[in-house]
Coordinates of all heavy atoms in Angstrom, one line a residue:
M791 N 32.7 -10.6 22.2 CA 33.9 -10.5 23.0 C 34.0 -9.2 23.8 O 33.6 -8.2 23.2 CB 35.2 -10.6 22.0 CG 36.4 -11.0 22.8 SD 37.9 -11.2 21.7 CE 37.3 -12.3 20.4
D792 N 34.4 -9.3 25.0 CA 34.4 -8.2 25.9 C 35.4 -7.1 25.4 O 36.6 -7.5 25.1 CB 34.8 -8.7 27.3 CG 34.8 -7.6 28.3 OD1 33.7 -7.2 28.7 OD2 35.9 -7.2 28.6
Q793 N 35.1 -5.9 25.4 CA 35.9 -4.8 25.0 C 37.2 -4.6 25.9 O 38.3 -4.4 25.4 CB 35.2 -3.4 24.9 CG 36.0 -2.3 24.3 CD 36.5 -2.6 22.9 OE1 35.7 -3.1 22.0 NE2 37.7 -2.3 22.6
T794 N 37.0 -4.9 27.1 CA 38.1 -4.8 28.1 C 39.2 -5.8 27.7 O 40.4 -5.5 27.6 CB 37.7 -5.0 29.5 OG1 36.7 -4.0 29.8 CG2 38.8 -5.0 30.5
F795 N 38.7 -7.0 27.4 CA 39.7 -8.1 27.0 C 40.3 -7.7 25.7 O 41.6 -7.9 25.5 CB 38.9 -9.4 26.8 CG 39.8 -10.5 26.2 CD1 40.9 -11.0 26.9 CD2 39.6 -11.0 24.9 CE1 41.7 -12.0 26.4 CE2 40.4 -11.9 24.4 CZ 41.5 -12.4 25.1
R796 N 39.6 -7.2 24.7 CA 40.2 -6.7 23.4 C 41.3 -5.7 23.7 O 42.4 -5.8 23.1 CB 39.1 -6.1 22.5 CG 38.2 -7.1 21.8 CD 37.2 -6.3 21.0 NE 36.3 -7.2 20.3 CZ 36.5 -7.6 19.0 NH1 37.4 -7.1 18.3 NH2 35.6 -8.4 18.5
D797 N 41.0 -4.7 24.5 CA 42.0 -3.7 24.9 C 43.2 -4.3 25.5 O 44.4 -3.9 25.2 CB 41.4 -2.6 25.8 CG 40.3 -1.8 25.1 OD1 40.2 -1.8 23.8 OD2 39.5 -1.2 25.8
Q798 N 43.0 -5.2 26.4 CA 44.1 -5.9 27.1 C 45.0 -6.7 26.1 O 46.2 -6.7 26.2 CB 43.6 -6.8 28.2 CG 43.0 -6.0 29.4 CD 42.2 -6.9 30.3 OE1 41.9 -8.1 30.0 NE2 41.9 -6.3 31.5
F799 N 44.3 -7.4 25.2 CA 45.0 -8.2 24.2 C 45.8 -7.3 23.2 O 46.9 -7.6 22.8 CB 44.1 -9.1 23.4 CG 44.8 -10.1 22.7 CD1 45.4 -11.3 23.3 CD2 45.0 -10.0 21.3 CE1 46.1 -12.2 22.6 CE2 45.7 -11.0 20.6 CZ 46.2 -12.1 21.2
D800 N 45.2 -6.1 22.9 CA 45.9 -5.2 22.0 C 47.1 -4.6 22.7 O 48.1 -4.5 22.0 CB 44.9 -4.0 21.7 CG 43.8 -4.4 20.7 OD1 44.0 -5.4 20.0 OD2 42.9 -3.6 20.5
A801 N 47.0 -4.4 24.0 CA 48.2 -4.0 24.8 C 49.3 -5.1 24.7 O 50.5 -4.7 24.6 CB 47.8 -3.6 26.2
L802 N 48.9 -6.3 24.8 CA 49.9 -7.4 24.7 C 50.6 -7.4 23.4 O 51.8 -7.5 23.3 CB 49.1 -8.8 25.0 CG 50.0 -10.0 24.8 CD1 51.1 -10.1 25.9 CD2 49.1 -11.2 24.8
L803 N 49.8 -7.3 22.3 CA 50.4 -7.3 21.0 C 51.3 -6.1 20.8 O 52.4 -6.2 20.1 CB 49.3 -7.2 19.9 CG 48.6 -8.6 19.6 CD1 47.4 -8.4 18.7 CD2 49.5 -9.5 19.0
E804 N 50.9 -4.9 21.3 CA 51.7 -3.7 21.2 C 53.1 -3.9 21.9 O 54.1 -3.6 21.3 CB 51.0 -2.5 21.7 CG 51.8 -1.3 21.6 CD 51.0 0.0 22.0 OE1 49.8 -0.1 22.5 OE2 51.6 1.1 22.0
K805 N 53.0 -4.5 23.1 CA 54.3 -4.7 23.8 C 55.1 -5.8 23.2 O 56.3 -5.7 23.1 CB 53.9 -5.1 25.3 CG 55.1 -5.1 26.2 CD 55.8 -3.8 26.3 CE 56.9 -3.8 27.2 NZ 57.6 -2.5 27.3
Y806 N 54.5 -6.8 22.7 CA 55.2 -7.9 22.0 C 56.0 -7.3 20.8 O 57.1 -7.6 20.6 CB 54.3 -9.0 21.6 CG 55.0 -10.2 20.9 CD1 55.8 -11.0 21.6 CD2 54.7 -10.4 19.5 CE1 56.4 -12.1 20.9 CE2 55.3 -11.5 18.9 CZ 56.2 -12.3 19.6 OH 56.8 -13.3 18.9
T807 N 55.3 -6.5 20.0 CA 55.8 -5.9 18.8 C 57.0 -5.0 19.2 O 58.1 -5.1 18.6 CB 54.8 -5.0 18.1 OG1 53.7 -5.9 17.7 CG2 55.4 -4.4 16.8
E808 N 56.9 -4.2 20.3 CA 57.9 -3.4 20.8 C 59.1 -4.2 21.2 O 60.3 -3.8 20.9 CB 57.4 -2.5 21.9 CG 58.4 -1.5 22.5 CD 57.9 -0.8 23.6 OE1 56.7 -0.5 23.7 OE2 58.7 -0.4 24.5
L809 N 58.9 -5.2 22.0 CA 60.0 -6.0 22.4 C 60.7 -6.8 21.3 O 61.9 -7.0 21.3 CB 59.5 -7.0 23.5 CG 59.1 -6.4 24.8 CD1 58.4 -7.5 25.7 CD2 60.3 -5.8 25.5
L810 N 60.0 -7.2 20.3 CA 60.5 -8.0 19.2 C 61.3 -7.1 18.2 O 62.3 -7.5 17.7 CB 59.4 -8.7 18.5 CG 59.8 -9.7 17.4 CD1 60.5 -10.9 18.1 CD2 58.6 -10.2 16.7
L811 N 60.7 -5.9 17.9 CA 61.2 -5.1 16.9 C 61.9 -3.8 17.3 O 62.5 -3.1 16.6 CB 60.1 -4.7 15.9 CG 59.4 -5.9 15.3 CD1 58.3 -5.4 14.3 CD2 60.4 -6.9 14.6
G812 N 61.7 -3.4 18.6 CA 62.3 -2.2 19.1 C 61.4 -1.0 19.0 O 61.7 0.1 19.4
E813 N 60.2 -1.1 18.3 CA 59.3 -0.1 18.2 C 57.9 -0.7 17.9 O 57.8 -1.9 17.6 CB 59.7 0.9 17.0 CG 59.7 0.2 15.7 CD 60.2 1.1 14.6 OE1 59.4 2.1 14.3 OE2 61.2 0.9 14.0
S814 N 56.9 0.1 18.0 CA 55.5 -0.4 17.8 C 54.7 0.7 17.2 O 54.7 1.9 17.6 CB 54.9 -0.8 19.2 OG 53.6 -1.3 19.0
N815 N 54.0 0.4 16.2 CA 52.9 1.2 15.6 C 51.9 0.3 14.9 O 52.0 -0.9 14.9 CB 53.6 2.2 14.6 CG 54.3 1.6 13.4 OD1 53.7 0.6 12.8 ND2 55.5 2.0 13.1
D816 N 50.8 0.9 14.5 CA 49.7 0.1 13.9 C 50.1 -0.8 12.8 O 49.7 -1.9 12.7 CB 48.6 1.0 13.5 CG 47.9 1.7 14.6 OD1 48.0 1.2 15.8 OD2 47.1 2.7 14.4
E817 N 51.0 -0.3 11.9 CA 51.4 -1.1 10.8 C 52.2 -2.3 11.2 O 52.1 -3.4 10.8 CB 52.2 -0.2 9.8 CG 52.7 -1.0 8.6 CD 53.5 -0.2 7.6 OE1 53.6 1.0 7.8 OE2 54.0 -0.8 6.6
L818 N 53.2 -2.0 12.1 CA 54.0 -3.1 12.6 C 53.2 -4.2 13.4 O 53.4 -5.4 13.3 CB 55.1 -2.6 13.5 CG 56.2 -1.8 12.8 CD1 57.2 -1.2 13.8 CD2 56.9 -2.7 11.7
I819 N 52.2 -3.7 14.2 CA 51.4 -4.6 14.9 C 50.6 -5.5 14.0 O 50.5 -6.7 14.2 CB 50.4 -3.8 15.9 CG1 51.2 -3.2 17.0 CG2 49.3 -4.8 16.4 CD1 50.5 -2.2 17.9
E820 N 50.1 -4.9 12.9 CA 49.4 -5.7 11.9 C 50.3 -6.8 11.3 O 49.9 -7.9 11.0 CB 48.8 -4.8 10.8 CG 47.8 -5.5 9.9 CD 46.6 -6.1 10.6 OE1 46.1 -5.6 11.6 OE2 46.0 -7.1 10.0
K821 N 51.5 -6.4 11.0 CA 52.5 -7.3 10.4 C 52.8 -8.4 11.3 O 52.9 -9.6 10.9 CB 53.8 -6.6 10.0 CG 53.6 -5.7 8.8 CD 54.9 -5.0 8.4 CE 54.7 -4.1 7.2 NZ 56.0 -3.5 6.8
I822 N 52.9 -8.1 12.6 CA 53.2 -9.1 13.6 C 52.0 -10.1 13.8 O 52.2 -11.3 13.9 CB 53.6 -8.5 15.0 CG1 54.9 -7.8 14.9 CG2 53.5 -9.5 16.1 CD1 56.1 -8.7 14.6
K823 N 50.8 -9.6 13.7 CA 49.6 -10.5 13.7 C 49.7 -11.5 12.6 O 49.5 -12.7 12.8 CB 48.3 -9.6 13.6 CG 47.9 -8.9 14.9 CD 46.7 -8.1 14.6 CE 46.3 -7.1 15.6 NZ 45.1 -6.4 15.3
M824 N 49.9 -11.0 11.4 CA 50.0 -11.9 10.2 C 51.1 -12.9 10.3 O 50.9 -14.1 10.1 CB 50.1 -11.0 8.9 CG 48.9 -10.2 8.7 SD 49.1 -9.1 7.2 CE 48.7 -10.3 6.0
W825 N 52.3 -12.4 10.7 CA 53.4 -13.3 10.9 C 53.2 -14.3 11.9 O 53.5 -15.5 11.7 CB 54.7 -12.4 11.2 CG 55.8 -13.1 11.7 CD1 56.7 -13.8 11.0 CD2 56.3 -13.3 13.1 NE1 57.7 -14.4 11.8 CE2 57.4 -14.1 13.1 CE3 55.8 -12.8 14.3 CZ2 58.1 -14.4 14.2 CZ3 56.5 -13.1 15.4 CH2 57.6 -13.9 15.4
A826 N 52.7 -13.9 13.1 CA 52.5 -14.9 14.1 C 51.4 -15.9 13.8 O 51.6 -17.1 14.0 CB 52.0 -14.2 15.4
L827 N 50.3 -15.5 13.2 CA 49.3 -16.4 12.8 C 49.8 -17.4 11.7 O 49.5 -18.6 11.7 CB 48.0 -15.7 12.3 CG 46.8 -16.6 12.0 CD1 46.5 -17.5 13.2 CD2 45.6 -15.7 11.6
Y828 N 50.4 -16.9 10.7 CA 50.9 -17.7 9.6 C 51.9 -18.7 10.1 O 51.9 -19.9 9.8 CB 51.6 -16.9 8.5 CG 52.1 -17.8 7.4 CD1 51.2 -18.2 6.4 CD2 53.4 -18.2 7.3 CE1 51.7 -19.0 5.3 CE2 53.9 -19.0 6.3 CZ 53.0 -19.4 5.3 OH 53.5 -20.3 4.3
T829 N 52.8 -18.3 11.0 CA 53.8 -19.2 11.6 C 53.2 -20.3 12.4 O 53.6 -21.4 12.3 CB 54.8 -18.4 12.5 OG1 55.4 -17.4 11.7 CG2 55.9 -19.2 13.1
Y830 N 52.1 -19.9 13.1 CA 51.4 -20.9 13.9 C 50.7 -21.9 13.0 O 50.8 -23.1 13.2 CB 50.4 -20.2 14.8 CG 49.6 -21.2 15.7 CD1 50.2 -21.8 16.8 CD2 48.3 -21.6 15.3 CE1 49.5 -22.8 17.5 CE2 47.6 -22.6 16.0 CZ 48.2 -23.1 17.1 OH 47.5 -24.1 17.9
I831 N 50.1 -21.4 12.0 CA 49.4 -22.3 11.0 C 50.4 -23.2 10.3 O 50.2 -24.4 10.2 CB 48.6 -21.5 10.0 CG1 47.4 -20.8 10.6 CG2 48.2 -22.4 8.8 CD1 46.7 -19.8 9.7
A832 N 51.5 -22.7 9.9 CA 52.5 -23.5 9.2 C 53.1 -24.6 10.1 O 53.4 -25.7 9.6 CB 53.7 -22.6 8.7
K833 N 53.2 -24.3 11.4 CA 53.7 -25.4 12.3 C 52.6 -26.4 12.8 O 52.9 -27.5 12.9 CB 54.3 -24.7 13.6 CG 55.6 -24.0 13.3 CD 56.1 -23.4 14.5 CE 57.4 -22.7 14.2 NZ 58.0 -22.0 15.3
S834 N 51.4 -25.9 13.0 CA 50.3 -26.8 13.5 C 49.6 -27.5 12.4 O 49.0 -28.6 12.6 CB 49.3 -26.0 14.4 OG 48.7 -25.0 13.6
M835 N 49.5 -26.9 11.2 CA 48.8 -27.5 10.0 C 49.6 -27.2 8.8 O 49.2 -26.4 7.9 CB 47.4 -26.9 9.9 CG 46.5 -27.2 11.0 SD 44.8 -26.5 10.7 CE 43.8 -27.7 11.4
P836 N 50.7 -27.9 8.6 CA 51.6 -27.6 7.5 C 50.9 -27.8 6.1 O 51.2 -27.1 5.2 CB 52.8 -28.5 7.7 CG 52.4 -29.5 8.7 CD 51.3 -28.9 9.5
D837 N 50.0 -28.8 6.1 CA 49.3 -29.1 4.8 C 48.5 -27.9 4.4 O 48.4 -27.6 3.2 CB 48.5 -30.3 4.9 CG 49.3 -31.6 5.0 OD1 50.5 -31.5 4.7 OD2 48.8 -32.6 5.4
L838 N 47.8 -27.2 5.4 CA 47.0 -26.0 5.1 C 47.9 -24.9 4.5 O 47.6 -24.3 3.6 CB 46.2 -25.6 6.3 CG 45.5 -24.3 6.1 CD1 44.4 -24.4 5.0 CD2 44.8 -23.9 7.5
A839 N 49.0 -24.7 5.2 CA 50.0 -23.7 4.7 C 50.5 -24.0 3.3 O 50.5 -23.1 2.5 CB 51.1 -23.5 5.7
N840 N 50.8 -25.2 3.1 CA 51.3 -25.6 1.7 C 50.2 -25.4 0.7 O 50.4 -25.0 -0.4 CB 51.8 -27.1 1.7 CG 53.1 -27.2 2.5 OD1 53.8 -26.3 2.6 ND2 53.3 -28.4 3.0
Y841 N 48.9 -25.8 1.1 CA 47.8 -25.6 0.2 C 47.7 -24.1 -0.2 O 47.5 -23.7 -1.3 CB 46.5 -26.1 0.8 CG 45.3 -25.8 0.0 CD1 45.0 -26.5 -1.1 CD2 44.4 -24.8 0.4 CE1 43.8 -26.2 -1.9 CE2 43.3 -24.5 -0.3 CZ 43.0 -25.2 -1.4 OH 41.9 -24.9 -2.2
W842 N 47.7 -23.2 0.9 CA 47.5 -21.8 0.7 C 48.7 -21.3 -0.2 O 48.5 -20.5 -1.1 CB 47.5 -21.1 2.0 CG 47.3 -19.6 1.9 CD1 46.1 -19.0 1.8 CD2 48.3 -18.6 1.9 NE1 46.3 -17.6 1.7 CE2 47.6 -17.4 1.8 CE3 49.7 -18.6 2.0 CZ2 48.3 -16.1 1.8 CZ3 50.3 -17.4 2.0 CH2 49.7 -16.2 1.8
N843 N 49.9 -21.7 0.1 CA 51.1 -21.3 -0.7 C 50.9 -21.7 -2.2 O 51.3 -20.9 -3.1 CB 52.4 -22.0 -0.2 CG 52.8 -21.4 1.2 OD1 52.3 -20.4 1.6 ND2 53.6 -22.2 1.9
A844 N 50.4 -22.8 -2.5 CA 50.2 -23.3 -3.8 C 49.0 -22.5 -4.5 O 49.1 -22.1 -5.7 CB 49.9 -24.8 -3.9
L845 N 48.0 -22.2 -3.7 CA 46.8 -21.5 -4.2 C 47.1 -20.1 -4.5 O 46.6 -19.5 -5.5 CB 45.7 -21.7 -3.2 CG 44.3 -21.2 -3.7 CD1 43.8 -22.0 -4.9 CD2 43.3 -21.4 -2.5
Y846 N 47.9 -19.5 -3.7 CA 48.2 -18.0 -3.7 C 49.7 -17.8 -3.8 O 50.3 -17.4 -2.8 CB 47.6 -17.3 -2.6 CG 46.1 -17.4 -2.5 CD1 45.5 -18.2 -1.5 CD2 45.3 -16.7 -3.4 CE1 44.2 -18.3 -1.4 CE2 43.9 -16.9 -3.3 CZ 43.4 -17.6 -2.3 OH 42.0 -17.7 -2.2
P847 N 50.4 -18.1 -4.9 CA 51.9 -17.9 -5.0 C 52.3 -16.5 -4.7 O 53.4 -16.3 -4.1 CB 52.2 -18.4 -6.4 CG 51.0 -18.5 -7.1 CD 49.8 -18.6 -6.2
N848 N 51.5 -15.5 -5.1 CA 51.9 -14.1 -4.8 C 51.8 -13.8 -3.3 O 52.6 -13.1 -2.7 CB 51.0 -13.1 -5.5 CG 51.2 -13.2 -7.0 OD1 52.3 -13.6 -7.5 ND2 50.3 -12.7 -7.8
G849 N 50.8 -14.4 -2.6 CA 50.6 -14.3 -1.2 C 51.8 -15.0 -0.5 O 52.3 -14.4 0.5
K850 N 52.2 -16.1 -1.0 CA 53.4 -16.8 -0.4 C 54.6 -15.9 -0.5 O 55.4 -15.8 0.5 CB 53.6 -18.1 -1.2 CG 54.9 -18.8 -0.7 CD 55.1 -20.1 -1.6 CE 56.4 -20.7 -1.2 NZ 56.7 -21.9 -2.1
E851 N 54.8 -15.3 -1.6 CA 56.0 -14.4 -1.8 C 55.9 -13.2 -0.9 O 56.9 -12.8 -0.3 CB 56.1 -13.9 -3.2 CG 56.6 -15.0 -4.2 CD 57.8 -15.7 -3.7 OE1 58.8 -15.0 -3.4 OE2 57.9 -17.0 -3.7
E852 N 54.7 -12.6 -0.7 CA 54.5 -11.5 0.2 C 54.8 -11.9 1.7 O 55.4 -11.2 2.4 CB 53.1 -10.9 0.1 CG 52.9 -10.1 -1.2 CD 53.8 -8.9 -1.3 OE1 54.0 -8.2 -0.3 OE2 54.4 -8.8 -2.4
M853 N 54.4 -13.1 2.0 CA 54.6 -13.7 3.3 C 56.1 -13.9 3.6 O 56.6 -13.6 4.6 CB 53.8 -14.9 3.6 CG 53.9 -15.5 5.0 SD 53.5 -14.3 6.3 CE 51.8 -14.1 6.0
K854 N 56.8 -14.4 2.6 CA 58.2 -14.6 2.7 C 58.9 -13.2 2.9 O 59.8 -13.1 3.7 CB 58.8 -15.2 1.4 CG 58.5 -16.7 1.4 CD 58.8 -17.4 0.1 CE 60.2 -17.4 -0.4 NZ 60.4 -18.1 -1.6
K855 N 58.5 -12.2 2.2 CA 59.0 -10.8 2.4 C 58.8 -10.3 3.8 O 59.6 -9.7 4.5 CB 58.4 -9.9 1.4 CG 58.9 -10.0 0.0 CD 58.2 -9.0 -0.9 CE 58.5 -9.3 -2.4 NZ 57.7 -8.4 -3.3
L856 N 57.5 -10.6 4.3 CA 57.2 -10.1 5.6 C 58.0 -10.9 6.7 O 58.5 -10.2 7.6 CB 55.7 -10.4 5.9 CG 55.1 -10.0 7.2 CD1 55.2 -8.6 7.5 CD2 53.7 -10.5 7.3
I857 N 58.2 -12.1 6.5 CA 59.0 -12.9 7.5 C 60.4 -12.4 7.5 O 61.0 -12.2 8.5 CB 58.9 -14.4 7.1 CG1 57.5 -15.0 7.4 CG2 60.0 -15.2 7.9 CD1 57.3 -16.4 6.9
F858 N 61.0 -12.2 6.3 CA 62.3 -11.6 6.2 C 62.4 -10.2 6.8 O 63.4 -10.0 7.6 CB 62.8 -11.6 4.7 CG 64.2 -11.0 4.6 CD1 65.3 -11.7 4.8 CD2 64.3 -9.6 4.2 CE1 66.6 -11.2 4.7 CE2 65.6 -9.1 4.1 CZ 66.7 -9.8 4.4
E859 N 61.4 -9.4 6.6 CA 61.4 -8.0 7.2 C 61.4 -8.1 8.7 O 62.2 -7.4 9.4 CB 60.2 -7.3 6.7 CG 60.1 -5.9 7.2 CD 58.9 -5.1 6.8 OE1 58.1 -5.7 6.0 OE2 58.7 -4.0 7.3
I860 N 60.6 -8.9 9.3 CA 60.5 -9.1 10.7 C 61.8 -9.6 11.3 O 62.3 -9.1 12.3 CB 59.3 -9.9 11.1 CG1 58.0 -9.1 10.8 CG2 59.3 -10.3 12.6 CD1 56.7 -9.8 11.0
K861 N 62.3 -10.6 10.6 CA 63.6 -11.2 11.1 C 64.7 -10.1 11.1 O 65.5 -10.0 12.0 CB 64.0 -12.4 10.3 CG 65.3 -13.0 10.7 CD 65.7 -14.2 9.9 CE 67.0 -14.9 10.3 NZ 67.9 -14.2 11.1
H862 N 64.8 -9.4 10.0 CA 65.8 -8.3 9.8 C 65.6 -7.3 10.9 O 66.6 -6.9 11.6 CB 65.7 -7.7 8.4 CG 66.7 -6.6 8.2 ND1 68.0 -6.9 8.1 CD2 66.5 -5.3 8.1 CE1 68.7 -5.7 7.9 NE2 67.8 -4.8 7.9
M863 N 64.4 -6.8 11.1 CA 64.2 -5.8 12.2 C 64.5 -6.3 13.6 O 65.1 -5.6 14.4 CB 62.7 -5.3 12.1 CG 62.4 -4.5 10.9 SD 60.7 -3.9 11.0 CE 60.8 -2.6 12.2
N864 N 64.2 -7.6 13.8 CA 64.5 -8.2 15.1 C 66.0 -8.3 15.3 O 66.6 -8.0 16.3 CB 63.9 -9.6 15.2 CG 64.2 -10.3 16.5 OD1 65.0 -11.2 16.5 ND2 63.7 -9.8 17.6
D865 N 66.7 -8.7 14.2 CA 68.2 -8.8 14.3 C 68.8 -7.4 14.6 O 69.7 -7.3 15.4 CB 68.8 -9.3 13.0 CG 68.5 -10.8 12.8 OD1 68.1 -11.5 13.8 OD2 68.6 -11.3 11.6
L866 N 68.3 -6.4 13.9 CA 68.8 -5.0 14.1 C 68.5 -4.6 15.6 O 69.4 -4.0 16.2 CB 68.2 -4.0 13.2 CG 68.6 -4.2 11.7 CD1 67.8 -3.2 10.8 CD2 70.1 -3.9 11.5
H867 N 67.4 -4.9 16.1 CA 67.0 -4.5 17.4 C 67.9 -5.2 18.4 O 68.4 -4.6 19.4 CB 65.5 -4.8 17.7 CG 65.1 -4.6 19.1 ND1 65.1 -3.3 19.7 CD2 64.5 -5.4 20.0 CE1 64.7 -3.4 20.9 NE2 64.3 -4.7 21.1
R868 N 68.1 -6.5 18.3 CA 68.9 -7.3 19.2 C 70.4 -6.8 19.1 O 71.0 -6.7 20.2 CB 68.9 -8.7 18.9 CG 67.6 -9.4 19.3 CD 67.6 -10.9 19.2 NE 68.3 -11.3 17.9 CZ 68.4 -12.5 17.5 NH1 67.9 -13.5 18.2 NH2 69.1 -12.8 16.4
E869 N 70.9 -6.4 17.9 CA 72.2 -5.9 17.8 C 72.4 -4.5 18.5 O 73.4 -4.3 19.1 CB 72.6 -5.8 16.3 CG 74.0 -5.6 16.0 CD 74.8 -6.8 16.4 OE1 74.4 -8.0 16.4 OE2 76.0 -6.6 16.9
A870 N 71.4 -3.7 18.4 CA 71.4 -2.4 19.0 C 71.4 -2.5 20.5 O 71.9 -1.6 21.2 CB 70.2 -1.5 18.5
K871 N 70.8 -3.6 21.1 CA 70.8 -3.7 22.5 C 72.1 -4.2 23.1 O 72.3 -4.1 24.3 CB 69.7 -4.7 22.9 CG 68.2 -4.2 22.7 CD 67.2 -5.2 22.9 CE 67.2 -5.7 24.3 NZ 66.1 -6.7 24.6
K872 N 73.0 -4.7 22.3 CA 74.3 -5.2 22.8 C 75.2 -4.1 23.3 O 75.2 -3.0 23.0 CB 75.0 -6.0 21.7 CG 74.4 -7.3 21.5 CD 75.2 -8.1 20.5 CE 74.6 -9.4 20.2 NZ 75.4 -10.2 19.3

């Protein structure tokens, strides 16, 4: 994969994170990557997500925490913009 494309895509993720949460750093970008990919998998292949949830119940709980954290941060960011 071309490094220029990687850099451009990283910039997209950074801006998306900033717009969604109000701030952006490496940790938040990584959380957004995991959240976005899991959300996509759960919608496009729900059986796979259910299988993973059953196979890794601790992972499922961590993902639920991550989803709640991102939702909470997004809610706070949207509220602050009002």
